[in-house]
Each structure stands twice: as structure tokens, then as C-alpha cells.
Amino acid sequence: MATLSHDMIIEILGCLSVKDLLRFKCVSKLWCSWIEDPYFINLHLSYSLKTNTNHSLILRHRKFQFLSVNYDSPKTTRRLEQPFGEQKKPIQIMGSCNGLLAVEYDYNRIFLWNLSTRKYQVLPSTKIDFSSPSICYGRSIYYGFGYDLVSDDYKLVRMVQLLGENDEYFHSEAKVYSLRSNCWRRIKDFCFHLIFYRELGFLANNVLHWMVSRTPESSNRNLVGFDLRSEEFRVVELPDFCLDENFYFDVKAMGGVKESWVKLMSSTQPDLLPGSPFEVPLAFSKNGNKVLFHKKELGGNWERDSLVWYDLGSKRVEKVGIEDLPLDYDVYLYVESLVPLNDRCPREIKIDVFNI
């Protein structure tokens, strides 16, 4: 009887879902050691990213309810319960990278959460080192989460800014959390004004990015990147049309990132997708000929969200047919992985599967 070699078994396992791999850990101690091996974890993640498989969309509704939609076949939803049980306290996703979510719980507690393995790790708390002035217009906190390939480390960046009256700039502070060392470190302060309240940094080419201005009153916008390896900020050059002060724009990352700006699509209509004043591109389809958009429509006292495919060739719009979704939600792209945290696996985390 012919038997498969170790390399062939590892190659086959690397194509499977995390759900299947967690089950196969029970086959034998040998298989368990293979699946928990760091080399295999990286192999499985690389395959998922390269082939655009094992991807999901995480939908957050009412600040504490979570749904997961299979990206490859959006007909089945999973309801996800938060790690700390059914306490209706707000949860804010601050970033998604390689199967880990950086999450803020109840406005003051931060943890990393692997939805696939159902494990989480609470981060140590860190105070804001500077004190607020007596007259303070407001305090804003911004986050970014990503993976540093060089140091093999996941890092969470926190920036705090204070503004005084008439948008007078008071102070800023930047800190970085390292999963490898499990501690926060103070880094060089951030010398730009972040434009959008509580904007999350998006990751591209090992760099987290935010839209900023030089001063609070400035109308000129720039793109600033934080290199996760060197832990330094730098200005990123934008396309020429972004230099027009009368042109509104925003920047997001999806799919593979090139070294220069390349026009993917354009439209002369005010709204690329009819009936939607706000469209956010999320990801490419597997074959790369479609773009998934998150549409947000606003009314007098209502808002409605939906997901649509935009065909780059035919320029046609196709609605993603998922029933029984809430009217309003935030959307985050997620890839399943075996990336480990610690050994905590709370019993209260459950996943219910519903076929639509």
C-alpha cells in the first residue's frame, strides 16, 4: 500500500481551513505537532494570502454584535460572540492582520483576538504620559495594527493628540505595543494632525498609513506612513490629482500593493455606485476582475449598508445576495489563520452557524 510522504501531507494540510485543521489535531500527537509547528502556521497563512482563500468579512452591528460572512461563498453567516461573554458593551475593531484582530473593549481594555482558534490575549494597560492642559478642546486617540516581517512581531501603534481652543495644537504622544515582548514602548512623537476622528491605520508594504495635515487648520492633506520595522514616520507621495485642494479623496489598501500609483478605475459620475453617497472598496475577487464595495446610504434619520461587486470590465454592479443582515454595520476583511497568542481559550466563546 502506497503512503504519502511527510512533505505531501503538509502540502495537503496547508490548503485546508482552520476549522478542519483544528479537528485534525485530534488524529494523533504527530499530526498535532505538525499543525502547531511555526513553519506550518506560516505555510498555511502564506497559501491563504497568495490564493485569496479562507477569507471572511467581519460585520459589526450595534457596536457589540458580530457576524462573519464567508468571502468565497457569501451564503452562510456565522454569529460571533465576544470573548468576555454576552455583556452588551461596545467593541471597536482597531485593525485586522493575518487572522488577528486588535480590539478595544468597553473603551478602555485592549486585546488581540484570533477568531479562528477562539483564543485571545489581553494587552497590558498603558497610561498617557502627558497631562491635559487646563483648557483643552479635545483628545483624540488613533490606532494601527500590523505585522513586522523582519522581527516576526505583531505591533499595535497608539497615537494620542490634544487640541486647544481655535485648533491650537498642544501635544502628541506615540507608543508601540509588541506582541513578542508583551509591553508598550514610547517612540518619537507624531508631528502631524490626524484628520479623521479615530481613523484606523491601513497596512501596505509593512507600513501603516493615515491621512494627515501639517496643522489642524490646514486644508492640504498628506499621507503619512509608519514603518513597522524602523518605527519611524515618513510622508508618502500621493498622485498628482490629490494636490488639488478642491478634490476630495481618501486612501485605502486592498490586494497586492504596487511600488507606484496605478489607476484601477474611474468614473465621471458623482457616485460610482448609483444611490450611494459613500463607497469603500474592500477587496478584489479571486480572479481579480471584480472589486467588492461597501455601500452606505444615508437618509434623514436612517442609514443602510450593503455589499456589491463592481465588474472592472463590464462596469456593471451586482449586489451580494445575503439575506437577514442588519441595516447598518461596519465591515472588516479577515483571513483565517493559526497564528498563536497565549493558551487562553475561554469557554464562553461560541460560534453558531446559520444557513441562509
Side-chain angles (χ1 to χ4, degrees):
M1 179 181 296
T3 58
L4 297 176
S5 66
H6 169 266
D7 291 343
M8 292 182 64
I9 295 176
I10 293 299
E11 185 175 350
I12 295 172
L13 292 177
C15 303
L16 301 180
S17 68
V18 172
K19 180 180 179 180
D20 289 334
L21 292 172
L22 294 178
R23 291 167 49 204
F24 290 157
K25 287 174 64 176
C26 301
V27 171
S28 67
K29 291 184 178 180
L30 181 61
W31 276 45
C32 182
S33 65
W34 287 349
I35 295 173
E36 291 181 347
D37 184 85
Y39 170 80
F40 176 77
I41 292 174
N42 290 331
L43 180 71
H44 178 266
L45 177 61
S46 298
Y47 177 84
S48 298
L49 295 174
K50 183 178 180 180
T51 60
N52 202 23
T53 54
N54 297 322
H55 282 64
S56 302
L57 297 175
I58 304 300
L59 280 56
R60 187 187 70 137
H61 173 59
R62 292 181 177 175
K63 295 185 178 182
F64 59 85
Q65 294 180 358
F66 288 86
L67 293 172
S68 175
V69 180
N70 187 291
Y71 182 71
D72 298 329
S73 178
K75 297 179 182 180
T76 301
T77 62
R78 292 188 301 165
R79 186 176 62 191
L80 307 175
E81 296 183 7
Q82 53 180 274
F84 300 109
E86 284 298 322
Q87 305 177 45
K88 295 184 177 180
K89 296 183 179 180
I91 290 184
Q92 173 66 46
I93 295 178
M94 300 181 296
S96 174
C97 180
N98 294 349
L100 298 183
L101 294 180
V103 178
E104 183 182 44
Y105 173 73
D106 198 21
Y107 301 111
N108 59 11
R109 195 175 188 183
I110 301 175
F111 62 96
L112 300 181
W113 182 16
N114 187 321
L115 294 176
S116 305
T117 62
R118 291 182 284 177
K119 294 188 178 183
Y120 72 92
Q121 178 168 330
V122 179
L123 274 60
S125 61
T126 180
K127 64 180 182 179
I128 298 174
D129 290 336
F130 61 81
S131 57
S132 301
S134 56
I135 301 177
C136 181
Y137 176 77
R139 185 183 74 180
S140 300
I141 303 178
Y142 304 84
Y143 289 95
F145 178 62
Y147 173 67
D148 177 17
L149 180 63
V150 177
S151 62
D152 187 25
D153 194 9
Y154 289 86
K155 297 180 179 180
L156 178 67
V157 182
R158 187 191 75 176
M159 294 175 290
V160 182
Q161 290 191 334
L162 293 181
L163 290 177
E165 291 183 316
N166 300 320
D167 283 343
E168 180 185 354
Y169 179 66
F170 273 117
H171 199 70
S172 73
E173 174 191 281
K175 287 186 175 182
V176 173
Y177 167 81
S178 163
L179 177 60
R180 181 173 290 276
S181 64
N182 192 35
C183 67
W184 292 89
R185 291 180 291 103
R186 180 81 179 265
I187 60 175
K188 185 178 179 181
D189 290 344
F190 190 70
C191 58
F192 299 92
H193 171 64
L194 287 133
I195 297 176
F196 303 114
Y197 177 69
R198 293 186 68 86
E199 181 189 19
L200 305 178
F202 64 87
L203 184 65
N205 288 346
N206 205 46
V207 177
L208 288 165
H209 299 79
W210 294 267
M211 292 301 302
V212 302
S213 63
R214 292 286 182 177
T215 60
E217 65 275 5
S218 174
S219 60
N220 294 326
R221 289 188 288 175
N222 300 96
L223 183 64
V224 164
F226 176 79
D227 191 305
L228 289 169
R229 180 184 60 83
S230 64
E231 297 187 352
E232 294 180 350
F233 294 98
R234 61 180 176 86
V235 176
V236 179
E237 184 178 358
L238 288 168
D240 293 338
F241 66 81
C242 294
L243 301 178
D244 186 351
E245 294 185 4
N246 298 317
F247 187 86
Y248 176 83
F249 67 92
D250 195 5
V251 181
K252 300 295 180 184
M254 63 179 190
V257 180
K258 301 181 182 296
E259 295 298 325
S260 59
W261 295 100
V262 177
K263 182 184 290 187
L264 175 66
M265 55 196 293
S266 63
S267 174
T268 58
Q269 302 177 1
D271 299 329
L272 173 64
L273 308 178
S276 175
F278 303 102
E279 307 99 10
V280 178
L282 296 175
F284 289 104
S285 60
K286 268 190 175 182
N287 56 17
N289 60 4
K290 294 181 181 180
V291 177
L292 182 65
F293 277 87
H294 174 210
K295 288 179 54 178
K296 184 176 289 292
E297 303 174 60
L298 303 178
N301 57 356
W302 58 269
E303 67 177 54
R304 180 183 294 112
D305 293 84
S306 61
L307 299 171
V308 297
W309 285 111
Y310 179 83
D311 192 299
L312 296 173
S314 65
K315 302 187 186 304
R316 297 181 60 182
V317 177
E318 177 187 358
K319 186 174 181 179
V320 180
I322 305 175
E323 300 180 0
D324 298 329
L325 290 180
L327 292 179
D328 59 294
Y329 48 82
D330 301 322
V331 186
Y332 307 87
L333 188 63
Y334 177 80
V335 58
E336 296 180 6
S337 82
L338 293 163
V339 173
L341 292 167
N342 57 20
D343 294 327
R344 299 188 66 180
C345 184
R347 295 180 180 178
E348 60 265 28
I349 295 184
K350 302 174 183 177
I351 297 181
D352 296 323
V353 180
F354 303 88
N355 292 323
I356 297 179

